[in-house]
Amino acid sequence: MKSLQAGCVSAVLAAICIATPAGAFHSGGAAQCEGCHTMHNTSEGAAMTGSSARFQSGPFLLRGSDQSSACLNCHQQAGDTGPTSYHVSTAENDMPVGSPPLQLTPGGDFGWLKKSYSWAPAPGSASVGIRGEQHGHNIVALDFNYVADTTNINAPGSSTPYPSDSLHCSSCHDPHGTYRIVENGVQATSGKPIRGSGSYGSLPDAGSAVGTYRLLAGVGYKPKSLAGGPAFAHAAPFAVAPVDYNRSEESSDTRVSYGKGTSAWCTNCHALMHSAPGSSLHPADKQLGDVAQTYNAYRKTGSLDGTVATAYLSLVPFELGDVTDLTALKEATATTAGPAATDKVSCLSCHRAHASGFSHMTRFAIDSNHITVADASGNAIWPDPVMNPSQAQGRTVAETRQAYYGRHPQAFSPYQRVLCNKCHARD
């Protein structure tokens, strides 16, 4: 009888990831335990051993060889043909050579970690390149062929080293959803029960809380598997995403409203990458001041006739001052307004949280003079790796367009300069 029960339960659980939206599965806090763990080391009535198993048995009774593999059992789906809801990784067979990763979440697609490029900047010159691991956070997910960063043995800019071979999804996201918003601007790890996700602007009420944005961990967090390294010193950021966050931005931008604590949270692992307010080095969490006027006026190279009402560009987002009000953040996801002087530059103004099509997980190419070129008629086009090697940097036209989230090149000028100019206008 016990064996029959285990088999029936496992068969049902095998369909959880496919049948249940991620928001409902996690419910803003602890998900269904059986979706990530196996109580009796079985799956679909069979022992979780050997290469034929549906899931590989891992530490902590996980349904995977490691923590990130347990996450990607749901957050990667082989056979995807385009961006799909909560998927953050593209299966290798779905992105052959020359074809880009498929997911377009604001955090990026981990599949870029498996894309390496080389090119000769000029005829007869030596080849240069970008290794796949340079595209983002190198999570360890052995069941999905993600391995530790071989260059950065510890987190760059870490005052207390965070070892790269311990980097998992659970290094940033609390898998048990302990962290919650108990009222606007106030986070806790206990007290009111979590009734749902706070990622889309749901509010806590008198008797219940909502989970932090994307289950991000806060003060005091340290993964159980991390022997050394620091515990988090900063709270989870206040942020709200639109429900349709994983989509092409060909016709309109996907706007995540990043509020208070966005950059401060990154310092949990990258403290030395930031500097004191007012310094010119890595000015994350600094108010934009007069730079806001430049941001709002800048449309593209050669065009400084923009207005604040339509200035927002998701390739260069910003932090909404010290906003913690989830209602205000939700309302902002539906606007195209640019920043005020009191809004802030953020780590995410330049970088994606997971991975991107460019080195150092930037949102746009930073090591090329131009991100577009021109055709014979003078229209902006994406660079071709044969005709424009120094601009394409080994990426096919399809890969470049996907790295810019499906945008048409004519959203920019011919020979558009790098988008640092959205704030600095030096082009």
Side-chain angles (χ1 to χ4, degrees), residues 156-340:
S158 176
S159 54
T160 304
Y162 197 111
S164 62
D165 60 4
S166 294
L167 182 64
H168 297 282
C169 302
S170 56
S171 297
C172 298
H173 305 273
D174 176 14
H176 298 127
T178 304
Y179 293 86
R180 67 202 72 190
I181 299 171
V182 294
E183 58 183 278
N184 267 341
V186 180
Q187 296 182 20
T189 56
S190 62
K192 296 179 183 180
I194 298 172
R195 64 176 173 82
S197 173
S199 297
Y200 308 105
S202 295
L203 295 173
D205 58 29
S208 62
V210 295
T212 55
Y213 182 70
R214 301 302 190 215
L215 301 179
L216 290 174
V219 176
Y221 180 73
K222 183 177 178 180
K224 184 177 178 63
S225 60
L226 184 63
F232 282 11
H234 296 277
F238 289 88
V240 172
V243 175
D244 60 340
Y245 59 88
N246 190 2
R247 65 176 182 85
S248 169
E249 297 186 28
E250 179 180 6
S251 58
S252 62
D253 286 16
T254 299
R255 180 166 186 169
V256 176
S257 296
Y258 299 109
K260 183 178 181 179
T262 302
S263 288
W265 184 83
C266 297
T267 67
N268 283 317
C269 290
H270 302 287
L272 301 181
M273 299 296 287
H274 294 245
S275 58
S279 169
S280 61
L281 178 64
H282 296 294
D285 210 28
K286 177 183 177 183
Q287 288 190 347
L288 290 170
D290 292 342
V291 170
Q293 297 179 25
T294 303
Y295 185 108
N296 293 327
Y298 188 93
R299 291 196 303 112
K300 53 188 178 180
T301 293
S303 298
L304 282 169
D305 56 356
T307 64
V308 63
T310 57
Y312 181 80
L313 178 64
S314 70
L315 295 175
V316 193
F318 50 89
E319 183 177 326
L320 287 169
D322 291 321
V323 177
T324 61
D325 187 312
L326 297 182
T327 298
L329 291 171
K330 182 177 181 178
E331 290 172 351
T333 65
T335 76
T336 58

Side-chain angles (χ1 to χ4, degrees), residues 350-364:
C350 301
H351 302 279
R352 294 198 184 273
H354 292 161
S356 80
F358 310 106
S359 63
H360 302 93
M361 55 203 291
T362 55
R363 291 174 177 262
F364 49 87

